[in-house]
Amino acid sequence: MPLRSRMVARDLGEPHRVSSPLELLFDLTFVAAVSQAAGRFAHAVESGHVGDSLAPFLMTFFAIWWAWMNFTWFASAYDTDDVPYRLLTFVQMAGVLVLAAGVPDAFDGDFTTVTIGYLVMRVGLVALWLRAAAAHPEGRATALRYAIGLSVVQVFWVARLALPDQGPMWVFFVCAALDLAVPPVAERPGMTTWHPHHIAERYGLFTIILLGESVLASTNAVQDAVKRGVGGELVTIALAGLAILFAIWWIYFSEPAGEGLERRRDRSFLWGYGHYFVFAALAALGAGLETAVASSGHHIEAGARLVAASVAVPVAVVLVMLWALHAPMRRMNTHPGFLIATAVLVLLTIFAAPALGIPGTLLLTAALLALLITATYARPAPKPAPST
């Protein structure tokens, strides 16, 4: 590891570009934030207060996802892995931990701690962009646009805290829209040299983290339920939930994301931004499975249809979004019609929940996903799409 090296853009065609150990450590700092967001949402579903908690969950998860995404794309283009780079990454990791500490308050409408964590992360990221602007003349205009844009929007986030009750909800969405606008505006002079296979791997790793959070949430719920005795209903829900997670993993990684991004770099914003819905749905799925396990162990306020919906809706969102994100890449291993049809059938299981019960509903959902995987392997392999 060099003490200091010139921060220049990574080679776009670099072979075997994989996530660095520092990036993997950076990802782990988000585990606590995701766990708290999913846990609070699960408790809201169990109590039947989904309507009151859905917006705070989506808003809080936006802060988590956007903080992760900003560093991920920067690191794909400018990872020098020297001492200053590592130290500024450490600053961002500290900001993530502050953000995670503020998740419970954010669910109650107080984003003060989350915003402070966000501010700490921005200090580290803006410093990296300024360093890239100073060392890489070819990408200077883009780097400066990023640094200025992120700084200006951060001023709005901090100013929001001064409003009474931090302002109406629409102020949050305006600030979020401004944040989302920074990359498209910044990349107008020239796109950064992010590596398509590296980005695909980074998103895949975050997907695994979210699936792991679902396993952890379900495990905690099972441990709580076991204290009251293990029954066939609990075992069935646990196994069906694991099968659903395994099938989602299988389906997600069946699509050639790296090849698609390499062919269609112009679709990168759609693919990258659209993953918010995939990631949020996976976090919500963990909450849904935790609720399903809890329903077998003790009485909860949520009815059978609401519990079934807490699993079925996230699964359907993931399937529909995989179609929306990969279809523009001109090649999919899973037939789009299969994805949409399965999503519709999964949603219909909500109405069958009172008759089938939660164990039967989850088993049916797992069976539909298994059928989708089987149909994918049974169809002829799609022909490679031409490069553009």
Side-chain angles (χ1 to χ4, degrees):
M1 180 192 64
L3 179 63
R4 182 181 177 86
S5 59
R6 183 166 174 261
M7 179 171 275
V8 295
R10 296 286 292 256
D11 182 5
L12 183 60
E14 181 181 350
H16 310 296
R17 175 79 163 96
V18 296
S19 299
S20 68
L22 181 59
E23 288 176 309
L24 300 180
L25 182 62
F26 177 82
D27 287 354
L28 290 180
T29 60
F30 285 86
V31 171
V34 173
S35 178
Q36 294 212 45
R40 289 295 296 264
F41 189 59
H43 293 319
V45 176
E46 291 174 22
S47 62
H49 297 150
V50 179
D52 297 332
S53 63
L54 182 58
F57 169 75
L58 294 176
M59 293 163 68
T60 303
F61 195 83
F62 172 83
I64 297 170
W65 163 76
W66 188 244
W68 175 86
M69 183 169 163
N70 273 236
F71 175 77
T72 294
W73 287 79
F74 175 88
S76 188
Y78 287 104
D79 183 359
T80 55
D81 197 30
D82 57 5
V83 171
Y85 179 87
R86 290 189 176 192
L87 292 177
L88 288 172
T89 302
F90 172 80
V91 171
Q92 294 181 74
M93 291 167 61
V96 175
L97 296 181
V98 175
L99 185 153
V103 168
D105 289 340
F107 263 81
D108 297 328
D110 183 5
F111 278 80
T112 301
T113 306
V114 168
T115 304
I116 293 173
Y118 214 50
L119 176 61
V120 173
M121 291 194 68
R122 282 293 183 258
V123 170
L125 185 60
V126 169
L128 285 173
W129 278 117
L130 291 175
R131 186 183 172 199
H136 185 223
E138 294 83 357
R140 182 167 298 158
T142 298
L144 287 176
R145 284 179 182 240
Y146 266 111
I148 295 171
L150 294 173
S151 300
V152 170
V153 176
Q154 189 58 45
V155 171
F156 289 131
W157 281 117
V158 174
R160 175 176 174 265
L161 300 180
L163 298 175
D165 297 325
Q166 299 183 4
M169 188 176 294
W170 63 264
V171 175
F172 178 96
F173 291 107
V174 168
C175 291
L178 292 174
D179 242 340
L180 292 171
V182 170
V185 172
E187 305 246 353
R188 287 181 61 188
M191 187 169 287
T192 53
T193 57
W194 52 269
H195 195 289
H197 292 276
H198 176 248
I199 287 294
E201 183 190 27
R202 298 290 294 119
Y203 273 67
L205 290 171
F206 201 68
T207 296
I208 290 176
I209 285 177
L210 292 169
L211 291 173
E213 287 292 340
S214 296
V215 173
L216 177 61
S218 300
T219 300
N220 291 336
V222 168
Q223 287 178 338
D224 185 53
V226 163
K227 296 177 182 178
R228 290 179 291 273
V230 178
E233 182 179 4
L234 175 61
V235 172
T236 302
I237 290 176
L239 290 177
L242 181 61
I244 290 171
L245 292 176
F246 187 72
I248 291 294
W249 167 83
W250 195 317
I251 295 166
Y252 180 91
F253 286 97
S254 293
E255 300 305 327
E259 291 82 353
L261 287 170
E262 187 175 19
R263 287 192 305 269
R264 300 300 305 271
R265 289 179 67 87
D266 59 313
R267 300 287 183 175
S268 59
F269 284 114
L270 171 65
W271 191 88
Y273 283 11
H275 262 78
Y276 165 76
F277 300 99
V278 176
F279 290 160
L282 290 176
L285 177 58
L289 292 176
E290 182 177 348
T291 303
V293 172
S295 70
S296 71
H298 60 280
H299 174 72
I300 61 175
E301 297 297 324
R305 285 186 176 176
L306 179 56
V307 175
S310 69
V311 174
V313 172
V315 169
V317 170
V318 170
L319 296 179
V320 171
M321 287 308 304
L322 287 180
W323 162 74
L325 298 179
H326 289 279
M329 303 295 186
R330 299 185 177 179
R331 181 178 182 268
M332 292 186 65
N333 288 330
T334 307
H335 193 284
F338 294 167
L339 284 171
I340 301 302
T342 303
V344 172
L345 292 174
V346 167
L347 289 175
L348 290 177
T349 64
I350 298 172
F351 301 99
L356 295 177
I358 300 304
T361 304
L362 295 190
L363 283 174
L364 180 56
T365 300
L368 290 171
L369 294 175
L371 184 61
L372 172 62
I373 294 172
T374 303
T376 299
Y377 277 86
R379 69 187 289 256
K383 296 180 180 180
S387 301
T388 58

